[in-house]
């Protein structure tokens, strides 16, 4: 019995451009703090790690310098910039302005928003139990971003999205230095969600303000 004709060979997966691969490799490592502040990265090491030539490495590092994650030093390499106390304070101040307004506008909350926040809260608990700090930071950020998205102001959404990388990097840094904050964050997210479910806009805004205020406390070197 004749065999069935072979199907067409699968098309090879097209890789992103070399500079994009280097950019994502370095950026993710910086956000996850695998490359911590003060680490000096060389073009040769990065080219070998990603499997590319040095030219796309230079292009990627220039882009990351423009985003404020690195500082380039000719003939030496790129220094990963540490998260400064001033940067943390600036980000928290901006988040307070956006998130307090957004949570008031999101109440009364539609059912899809409540369902999504419940899903993110459970996902954060699972990630915390697994000890995956990078993903805990991602779900933490998504929880707040979902509320901002439902405020109905696209300019605020775009502004908030510009804080994404700083939020993720700071989140991992804080959890590494203050591991007890992970459980507290989850508890405070649950309190925010309870206020949203209850239709209490001012109560939700108060919980958001309390939730973010601990970062300023940590910047001053205290505990909460």
């Amino acid at each position: 019995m004749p065999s069935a004709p072979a199907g067409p060979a699968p098309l090879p997966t097209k890789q992103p451009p070399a500079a994009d691969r280097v950019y994502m490799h370095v950026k993710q490592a910086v956000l996850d703090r695998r490359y911590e502040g003060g680490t000096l990265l060389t073009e040769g090491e990065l080219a070998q790690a990603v499997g590319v030539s040095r030219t796309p490495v230079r292009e990627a590092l220039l882009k990351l310098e423009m985003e404020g994650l690195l500082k380039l030093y000719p003939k030496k390499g790129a220094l990963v910039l540490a998260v400064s106390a001033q940067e943390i304070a600036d980000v928290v101040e901006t988040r307070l302005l956006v998130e307090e307004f957004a949570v008031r506008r999101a109440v009364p909350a539609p059912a899809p928003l409540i369902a999504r926040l419940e899903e993110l809260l459970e996902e954060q608990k699972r990630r915390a139990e697994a000890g995956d700090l990078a993903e805990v930071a991602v779900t933490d950020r998504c929880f707040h971003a979902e509320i901002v998205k439902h405020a109905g102001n696209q300019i605020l959404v775009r502004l908030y999205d510009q804080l994404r990388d700083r939020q993720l990097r700071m989140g991992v840094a804080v959890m590494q230095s203050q591991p007890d904050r992970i459980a507290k964050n989850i508890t405070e997210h649950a309190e925010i969600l309870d206020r949203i479910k209850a239709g209490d806009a001012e109560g939700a805004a108060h919980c958001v303000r309390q939730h973010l205020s601990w970062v300023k406390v940590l910047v001053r070197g205290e505990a909460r």
Side-chain angles (χ1 to χ4, degrees):
M1 184 174 181
S3 58
L11 295 173
T13 303
K14 186 177 180 181
Q15 282 194 315
D20 290 350
R21 300 206 310 272
V22 178
Y23 170 83
M24 290 307 302
H25 169 81
V26 177
K27 184 170 185 175
Q28 195 59 54
V30 170
L31 296 182
D32 292 349
R33 288 175 61 84
R34 285 178 281 124
Y35 293 155
E36 295 194 18
T39 302
L40 184 66
L41 307 174
T42 67
E43 291 181 4
E45 289 170 343
L46 293 175
Q48 185 175 16
V50 184
V52 298
S53 67
R54 293 194 179 201
T55 300
V57 172
R58 294 188 193 104
E59 183 181 336
L61 294 181
L62 281 169
K63 186 175 180 181
L64 290 162
E65 183 180 46
M66 290 177 62
E67 294 181 6
L69 296 177
L70 307 175
K71 173 66 177 175
L72 297 186
Y73 291 93
K75 299 182 181 179
K76 292 184 178 180
L79 185 70
V80 179
L81 296 178
V83 179
S84 68
Q86 185 59 54
E87 181 182 7
I88 293 173
D90 290 347
V91 169
V92 171
E93 187 173 75
T94 306
R95 287 187 63 186
L96 279 168
L97 289 171
V98 173
E99 292 188 34
E100 282 193 60
F101 171 84
V103 79
R104 288 188 179 99
R105 286 285 296 270
V107 176
L113 172 58
I114 291 174
R116 179 59 178 152
L117 293 178
E118 289 175 336
E119 178 185 348
L120 287 167
L121 187 58
E122 290 305 311
E123 178 69 13
Q124 190 175 20
K125 291 176 183 177
R126 287 194 295 271
R127 297 295 186 176
E129 289 171 0
D132 189 342
L133 298 188
E135 286 302 317
V136 171
V138 169
T139 51
D140 183 301
R141 195 264 171 191
C142 288
F143 183 92
H144 293 277
E146 197 68 29
I147 296 171
V148 174
K149 187 171 73 175
H150 278 78
N153 186 317
Q154 291 305 308
I155 293 176
L156 276 186
V157 171
R158 288 194 291 272
L159 171 63
Y160 194 76
D161 282 345
Q162 291 174 16
L163 301 176
R164 176 186 177 276
D165 292 342
R166 288 182 169 86
Q167 285 179 254
L168 294 178
R169 191 173 177 216
M170 290 175 190
V172 174
V174 168
M175 285 185 287
Q176 286 178 338
S177 63
Q178 302 282 336
D180 64 311
R181 275 305 316 176
I182 300 174
K184 291 179 181 177
N185 276 356
I186 292 172
T187 297
E188 290 166 10
H189 281 180
E191 291 169 352
I192 293 169
L193 180 54
D194 285 344
R195 292 297 89 213
I196 291 174
K197 285 180 177 179
D200 181 1
E202 288 306 314
H206 174 75
C207 287
V208 166
R209 186 164 57 252
Q210 291 295 107
H211 177 58
L212 294 178
S213 68
W214 68 266
V215 183
K216 289 186 176 181
V217 173
L218 287 179
V219 170
R220 293 197 298 267
E222 303 167 13
R224 171 175 174 261

